[in-house]
């Protein structure tokens, strides 16, 4: 109750996320203060209410909102523990921010996606042509995977007009 009373309306999201990050429970009073028309507060509440083992899934809406603390938190998680849908959302939002400090995390997640579901990875890579950064992230992920056939998915990029994408694709194909 004291935390709920002591937290200003503008501090609800950061304090809520601190509780999530520290894996601490919060009071019902605090949760009730998060019921507003602010989507970020609603999603933080959902994350606080989720069971710890479901938080990686419950974090997806916050990823889609581009919540920096959520992106950092998921970037520090083992990518293998993340649901495919959360990885895809992370890749999408990170690729829209060329200076994001989460690019390396995105590359690691792309590798996990390629290892986990080659067909889904291939489909995402084909649709990524509109985003050079997402294409680069996905191709870099292909250079670290041991999943058979992922190099073949990169083969069409050997003719890409972007020289750096051609080079990364060449490495991915060569490593298969």
């Amino acid at each position: 109750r004291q935390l709920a009373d002591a937290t200003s309306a503008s501090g609800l999201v950061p304090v809520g996320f601190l509780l999530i990050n520290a894996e601490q429970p919060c009071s019902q009073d605090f949760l009730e203060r998060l019921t507003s028309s602010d989507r970020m507060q609603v999603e933080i509440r959902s994350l606080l209410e989720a069971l710890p083992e479901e938080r990686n899934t419950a974090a997806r809406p916050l990823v889609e909102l581009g919540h920096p603390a959520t992106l950092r938190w998921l970037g520090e998680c083992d990518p293998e523990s993340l649901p495919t849908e959360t990885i895809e959302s992370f890749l999408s939002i990170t690729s829209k921010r060329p200076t994001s400090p989460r690019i390396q995390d995105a590359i690691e997640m792309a590798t996990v996606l390629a290892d986990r579901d080659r067909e889904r990875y291939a489909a995402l890579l084909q649709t990524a042509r509109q985003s050079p950064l997402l294409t680069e992230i996905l191709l870099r992920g292909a250079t670290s995977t041991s999943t058979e056939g992922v190099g073949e998915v990169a083969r069409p990029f050997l003719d890409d007009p972007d020289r750096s994408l051609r080079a990364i694709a060449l490495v991915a194909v060569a490593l298969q």
Side-chain angles (χ1 to χ4, degrees), residues 121-147:
Y121 169 84
L124 185 58
L125 185 58
Q126 289 308 309
T127 61
R129 285 193 177 267
Q130 308 307 316
S131 169
L133 182 55
L134 181 55
T135 302
E136 180 178 342
I137 289 167
L138 290 166
L139 287 173
R140 286 186 184 274
T143 65
S144 300
T145 185
S146 58
T147 301

Side-chain angles (χ1 to χ4, degrees), residues 71-131:
L71 295 172
R72 184 174 45 257
W73 175 61
L74 289 175
E76 293 169 0
C77 290
D78 174 10
E80 294 283 345
S81 72
L82 301 176
T84 300
E85 295 79 13
T86 302
I87 289 174
E88 289 175 331
S89 294
F90 190 97
L91 293 170
S92 175
I93 200 73
T94 304
S95 68
K96 294 175 184 165
R97 300 174 176 178
T99 59
S100 173
R102 309 272 58 104
I103 298 293
Q104 185 58 44
D105 299 327
I107 293 168
E108 291 172 17
M109 289 183 197
T111 302
V112 168
L113 181 60
D115 287 339
R116 186 181 292 167
D117 189 339
R118 186 178 77 109
E119 298 305 318
R120 201 164 180 167
Y121 169 84
L124 185 58
L125 185 58
Q126 289 308 309
T127 61
R129 285 193 177 267
Q130 308 307 316
S131 169

Side-chain angles (χ1 to χ4, degrees), residues 38-89:
D38 181 334
R39 182 160 176 227
M40 190 73 72
Q41 287 188 18
V42 170
E43 298 305 341
I44 288 288
R45 180 182 174 139
S46 295
L47 196 54
L48 281 164
E49 292 176 322
L51 295 172
E53 61 272 13
E54 296 171 356
R55 286 194 170 157
N56 289 345
T57 301
R60 184 175 180 205
L62 286 164
V63 170
E64 291 170 352
L65 289 171
H67 185 240
T70 303
L71 295 172
R72 184 174 45 257
W73 175 61
L74 289 175
E76 293 169 0
C77 290
D78 174 10
E80 294 283 345
S81 72
L82 301 176
T84 300
E85 295 79 13
T86 302
I87 289 174
E88 289 175 331
S89 294

Side-chain angles (χ1 to χ4, degrees), residues 19-48:
L19 291 170
I20 292 162
N21 208 20
E23 298 181 5
Q24 294 296 312
C26 69
S27 69
Q28 189 62 36
D29 292 332
F30 187 84
L31 288 173
E32 288 172 6
R33 292 217 34 224
L34 288 166
T35 56
S36 74
S37 59
D38 181 334
R39 182 160 176 227
M40 190 73 72
Q41 287 188 18
V42 170
E43 298 305 341
I44 288 288
R45 180 182 174 139
S46 295
L47 196 54
L48 281 164

